[in-house]
Amino acid sequence: MTTAPTTLPDQKRIGMVSLGCPKALVDSERILTRLRADGYAFAEDYAGADVVLVNTCGFLDSAKEESLAAIGEAIAENGRVIVTGCMGEEADAIRAAHPQVLAITGAHQYEQVVEAVHTHAPPSQGPFVDLIPQPDIKLTPRHYSYLKISEGCNHSCAFCIIPQLRGKLASRRIDAVLREAEKLVAAGTKELLVISQDTSAYGVDIRHESRSWKGRDVRAHMTDLARELGQLRTPEGETPWVRLHYVYPYPHVDQVIPLMAEGLLTPYLDIPFQHASPKVLKLMKRPANEAKVLERLKAWRAICPDIAIRSSFVVGFPGETEADFQYLIDWLEEAQLDRVGAFRFEPVAGAAANALPDPVPEAVKEERYARIMEVTERISAAKLAAKVGRTLPVIIDDVGDPDEDGDIGATGRSQADAPEIDGAVYLRNVPETLAPGDIVQAAIEDADAHDLFGVIA
Ligand code: SF4
């Protein structure tokens, strides 16, 4: 359950269970912000809620099961449940499992969710409620924020049903995105995580329309967005960290690398390659295929040696032969990516890939998964070992309590680590004045396959 405090009497209280990816988290934040503007308060537990919202994920079958279980728990604990999010597109399946749900709405149908809440828990319009200006609700820690620049996707990757769930690409206006980013940074955000389904395609649907921002014409385009985000400063005058996620390697990505070298953008790119074999990429119908990517990685590293590249890969896609898989392994040895997530192919109901011939047997998938993990962990360990002895900026996420000797430890992340998905930097002997969101210089003393260990320099 997610909570936000309130002290006003007689307000209807909403409980929120938010599942799924960062994009769903942003949706939850928007829904809660609107509900609060309508005079609702938020419950700390199921029992205190007039109605519980469950924001679901319906991407993989395992996520659907998790969503159905969360709905079941909310019904058992509270009884009055409204479902929203990606799995909301499968209302029949939800009603079959949980006929008691009050209402079901789909992904980013903010109006409908709010309407359903109004119907099932009409707001009590106290005289003060509407007069209290409050910042947007955030479910992520205050020092980092997700910045969603578009919804949906124009591609049709064979393993993915996002376009069915979320529709075609719909980009936000550039000035609206920049205003939100500016507000977040003014309110204490030290790290912005730019998210979408395809960040490189930002603005394609609105023909990269220009808007005036700070007296300049700025296009709805990833490079303009990156340049403008690089101009933001925190109230302390520091450049916030800005991380680009879900970037496909279209040619214009080259233009943001110099911004990283100048320190205006965090030297980090999350590029979901998913495979390297041209044959498998074609079967997957992936945008921006692998040709020349290795050369470009080299060129990017020549411009910005500290750039960290994160990616994810699917093994055991239908039709993937041993030769295709070995191609991927050889490619990874060459690419030397910093962070890699690997997944075994899992059919998703409604995805085109399910009809492809030559499924890979489960045992072979497992064996390939073990091999890719072994290779990528070895590369990661070597890359992290090379950081021992260096001093790196680290953003603090959490400060612990003193141990029996009075030493305090803290957990943070380097610029190569996005929250939730990458590694951590563990610091020992930190001062008790250290707080989440502080950015310190850390001397790195040790490393393992995923994390770094050090002390404030
Ligand atoms: S780019 Fe492909 S994987 Fe990503 S959301 Fe679009 S269709 Fe799905």
Side-chain angles (χ1 to χ4, degrees):
M1 298 283 287
T2 309
T3 63
T6 180
T7 54
L8 288 168
D10 300 330
Q11 279 178 292
K12 290 283 164 52
R13 289 172 182 269
I14 308 299
M16 167 68 93
V17 178
S18 189
L19 306 169
C21 61
K23 285 164 280 235
L25 202 59
V26 173
D27 286 345
S28 294
E29 290 174 354
R30 290 210 183 134
I31 293 166
L32 293 182
T33 299
R34 283 206 196 174
L35 287 173
R36 189 176 52 194
D38 290 349
Y40 289 92
F42 302 103
E44 299 198 6
D45 50 31
Y46 288 115
D50 291 289
V51 70
V52 177
L53 279 177
V54 181
N55 190 4
T56 57
C57 176
F59 187 50
L60 292 174
D61 289 349
S62 49
K64 285 181 195 165
E65 275 163 33
E66 193 194 343
S67 294
L68 287 175
I71 295 166
E73 183 183 309
I75 287 174
E77 296 288 331
N78 180 285
R80 295 177 54 74
V81 174
I82 293 172
V83 176
T84 186
C86 287
M87 207 194 159
E89 309 293 328
E90 295 183 40
D92 291 346
I94 296 171
R95 289 216 183 276
H98 302 296
Q100 314 91 313
V101 293
L102 298 174
I104 300 173
T105 66
H108 57 270
Q109 295 181 336
Y110 309 120
E111 305 297 340
Q112 289 91 326
V113 186
V114 170
E115 212 179 289
V117 173
H118 278 238
T119 305
H120 295 285
S124 23
Q125 290 296 343
F128 309 112
V129 169
D130 296 335
L131 302 176
I132 300 170
Q134 295 189 53
D136 291 351
I137 291 175
K138 288 183 76 290
L139 301 177
T140 40
R142 194 163 165 267
H143 64 278
Y144 65 83
S145 300
Y146 293 100
L147 183 66
K148 194 177 193 178
I149 58 171
S150 60
E151 292 282 5
C153 175
N154 284 347
H155 302 296
S156 45
C157 300
F159 53 77
C160 177
I161 53 165
I162 295 272
Q164 282 145 262
L165 292 176
R166 303 208 150 213
K168 290 264 178 214
L169 179 72
S171 301
R172 296 177 62 199
R173 287 169 50 153
I174 182 85
D175 52 344
V177 172
L178 291 170
R179 199 168 303 115
E180 181 180 344
E182 190 180 59
K183 231 167 77 182
L184 288 167
V185 171
T189 288
K190 301 281 181 63
E191 178 176 6
L192 286 166
L193 302 122
V194 176
I195 56 167
S196 69
Q197 305 297 345
D198 178 359
T199 294
S200 313
Y202 171 58
V204 165
D205 54 310
I206 51 174
R207 299 190 181 163
H208 301 299
E209 70 176 4
S210 292
R211 295 277 172 176
S212 174
W213 174 253
K214 312 266 173 205
R216 298 185 285 276
D217 270 354
V218 183
R219 291 174 310 153
H221 190 286
M222 189 184 84
T223 51
D224 287 33
L225 174 71
R227 202 174 303 118
E228 291 299 327
L229 292 176
Q231 303 298 317
L232 294 174
R233 295 294 175 270
T234 65
E236 298 81 32
E238 290 162 359
T239 305
W241 291 11
V242 177
R243 245 178 240 292
L244 301 181
H245 287 277
Y246 313 111
V247 173
Y248 287 97
Y250 299 125
H252 62 263
V253 175
D254 295 355
Q255 295 166 26
V256 301
I257 311 300
L259 299 175
M260 296 179 182
E262 286 172 44
L264 298 174
L265 267 188
T266 303
Y268 179 96
L269 273 184
D270 172 11
I271 308 179
F273 289 116
Q274 307 298 16
H275 213 282
S277 147
K279 187 195 98 189
V280 177
L281 286 168
K282 205 164 157 212
L283 285 172
M284 288 178 165
K285 299 209 186 126
R286 291 293 289 166
N289 74 35
E290 170 264 1
K292 300 212 177 122
V293 163
L294 289 173
E295 281 170 39
R296 287 174 71 206
L297 290 178
K298 268 188 207 137
W300 294 347
R301 287 180 173 132
I303 297 166
C304 181
D306 273 338
I307 190 170
I309 312 279
R310 138 165 280 275
S311 191
S312 51
F313 294 88
V314 172
V315 300
F317 190 78
E320 181 193 64
T321 60
E322 174 57 30
D324 296 321
F325 180 72
Q326 190 56 47
Y327 187 102
L328 169 60
I329 293 292
D330 295 343
W331 187 93
L332 285 166
E333 296 278 12
E334 180 96 27
Q336 294 283 305
L337 303 182
D338 299 79
R339 299 289 188 187
V340 170
F343 303 89
R344 308 160 191 85
F345 171 73
E346 188 184 323
V348 174
N354 304 352
L356 288 174
D358 307 320
V360 175
E362 288 304 318
V364 177
K365 269 188 217 171
E366 286 302 326
E367 184 255 341
R368 289 180 187 167
Y369 177 75
R371 277 159 68 195
I372 194 171
M373 291 308 288
E374 190 272 315
V375 169
T376 55
E377 280 191 17
R378 170 165 48 74
I379 292 170
S380 174
K383 291 220 146 202
L384 294 179
K387 295 184 181 181
V388 174
R390 289 186 61 186
T391 298
L392 301 175
V394 168
I395 191 163
I396 303 299
D397 284 330
D398 189 44
V399 180
D401 294 323
D403 64 13
E404 60 270 21
D405 300 323
D407 290 341
I408 300 173
T411 309
R413 288 172 291 107
S414 75
Q415 293 198 307
D417 307 308
E420 323 253 333
I421 51 174
D422 294 326
V425 183
Y426 295 100
L427 300 177
R428 61 182 178 83
N429 279 346
V430 302
E432 59 185 359
T433 49
L434 195 71
D438 287 350
I439 295 176
V440 298
Q441 295 295 322
I444 304 303
E445 301 171 320
D446 201 0
D448 62 20
H450 303 287
D451 302 316
L452 296 170
F453 304 84
V455 63
I456 293 178

